[in-house]
């Protein structure tokens, strides 16, 4: 049994200047980023690489249409793709490291050969995606009204680079939703049937670091996160290693229809489903490996195991308020469609559930959270 795989080399630098000097970024490189990231951190460094700004091709979550438009504007025969950004930029850049990119629908349908022909360097600017160490790229497929992940070893980065300086300008809301996403990565992977002692080691450490950080923020306010940014960035990376090996599950699967239909940001959409899914797990089997997880969280929160998810929800709501599904515009009759989407299209994720969730249980979770 394979216990653990970490494909990218992982580096950390205190500053962007140190990163650029070490990597000798210049001609032959394509940097994919956002202008609001590049200008304050990189403009004065005199980098001679080509730069592509993602926001010029649309806002929000990554889509096939956005990726196609960006790919059409890629000029030159690049040796390296250097992604500096959040999940949208990182996922799209993984695709651009491949030889055959367009049409993207054919790529996701596995109708074209998947060959990597560029070096890939991934630099996250949020503390949530963990995608810098995974081989999956998740896009909204506009014509199909859903999100879909493509996971192939050719999309692993050659190196993942952690630079805490880049998180200093992250607005609190995005800090909150991205770090909650990392927490969910760690929680889901720790309960996955694919979990091993190695993945659990990374997952449990990420859970502890994130929850301890949230307690500090809840006590001392939003600015209390600033000295903790390196901890949150590393926790996100640990969670990425965990779910990259053991997988995510129903929380992510059930969030995709919400994100795909109503364009709710990924971390926020996951947050909507978190407690509902884990309470359903408890109703079905409270005595499996979830019992170990509950005790671990309860010890951090200082509460009884019987109220651990209520107390977790209280803590998370002090970071960012969770909203019911109807506040995003979801109509009650759409819950059946959402359920069908999960059962028919998200089998890859649902296979990682702690316990099996049949259709009626998935619908029931949506109903309770509506």
């Amino acid at each position: 049994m394979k216990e653990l795989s970490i494909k990218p080399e992982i580096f950390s630098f205190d500053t962007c200047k140190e990163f650029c000097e070490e990597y000798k970024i210049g001609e032959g490189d394509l940097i994919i980023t956002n202008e609001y990231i590049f200008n304050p951190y990189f403009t004065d460094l005199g980098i001679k690489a080509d730069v592509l700004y993602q926001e010029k091709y649309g806002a929000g979550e990554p889509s096939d249409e956005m990726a196609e438009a960006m790919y059409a504007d890629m000029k030159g025969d690049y040796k390296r793709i250097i992604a500096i950004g959040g999940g949208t930029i990182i996922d799209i850049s993984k695709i651009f490291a491949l030889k055959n990119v367009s049409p993207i629908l054919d790529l996701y349908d596995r109708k074209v050969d998947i060959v990597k022909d560029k070096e890939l360097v991934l630099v996250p600017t949020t503390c949530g995606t963990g995608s810098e160490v995974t081989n999956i790229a998740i896009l909204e497929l506009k014509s199909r009204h859903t999100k879909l992940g493509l996971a192939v070893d050719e999309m692993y980065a050659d190196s993942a680079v952690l630079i805490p300086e880049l998180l200093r300008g992250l607005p609190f809301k995005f800090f909150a939703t991205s770090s909650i996403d990392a927490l969910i990565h760690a929680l889901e992977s720790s309960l996955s049937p694919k979990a091993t002692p190695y993945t659990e080691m990374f997952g449990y450490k990420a859970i502890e670091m994130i929850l301890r950080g949230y307690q500090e923020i809840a006590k001392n306010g939003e600015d209390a996160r600033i000295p903790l940014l390196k901890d949150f960035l590393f926790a996100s990376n640990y969670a990425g290693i965990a779910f990259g090996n053991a997988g995510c599950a129903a929380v992510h699967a059930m969030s995709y229809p919400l994100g795909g239909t109503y364009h709710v940001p990924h971390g926020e959409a996951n947050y909507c489903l978190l407690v509902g899914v884990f309470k359903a797990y408890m109703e079905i089997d409270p005595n499996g490996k979830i019992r170990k997880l509950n005790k671990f969280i309860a010890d951090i929160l200082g509460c009884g195991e019987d109220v651990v998810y209520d107390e977790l929800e209280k803590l998370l709501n002090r970071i960012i308020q969770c909203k019911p599904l109807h506040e995003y515009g979801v109509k009650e009759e759409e819950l059946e469609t959402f359920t069908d989407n999960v059962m028919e299209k998200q089998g890859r994720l649902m296979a990682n559930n702690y316990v099996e969730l049949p259709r009626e249980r998935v619908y029931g979770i949506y109903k309770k959270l509506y």
Side-chain angles (χ1 to χ4, degrees), residues 25-47:
I25 298 172
E27 294 179 3
D29 293 327
L30 174 65
I31 297 174
I32 299 175
T33 188
N34 298 114
E35 198 164 6
Y36 66 84
I37 293 170
F38 190 83
N39 285 345
Y41 294 108
F42 295 95
T43 297
D44 292 341
L45 300 181
I47 298 170

Side-chain angles (χ1 to χ4, degrees), residues 212-225 228 318-319:
R212 294 290 187 200
Y214 283 166
Q215 288 174 323
E216 188 70 20
I217 294 166
K219 179 181 178 182
N220 295 310
E222 294 181 4
D223 289 345
R225 76 188 187 280
L228 302 174
R318 294 186 68 181
I319 305 301

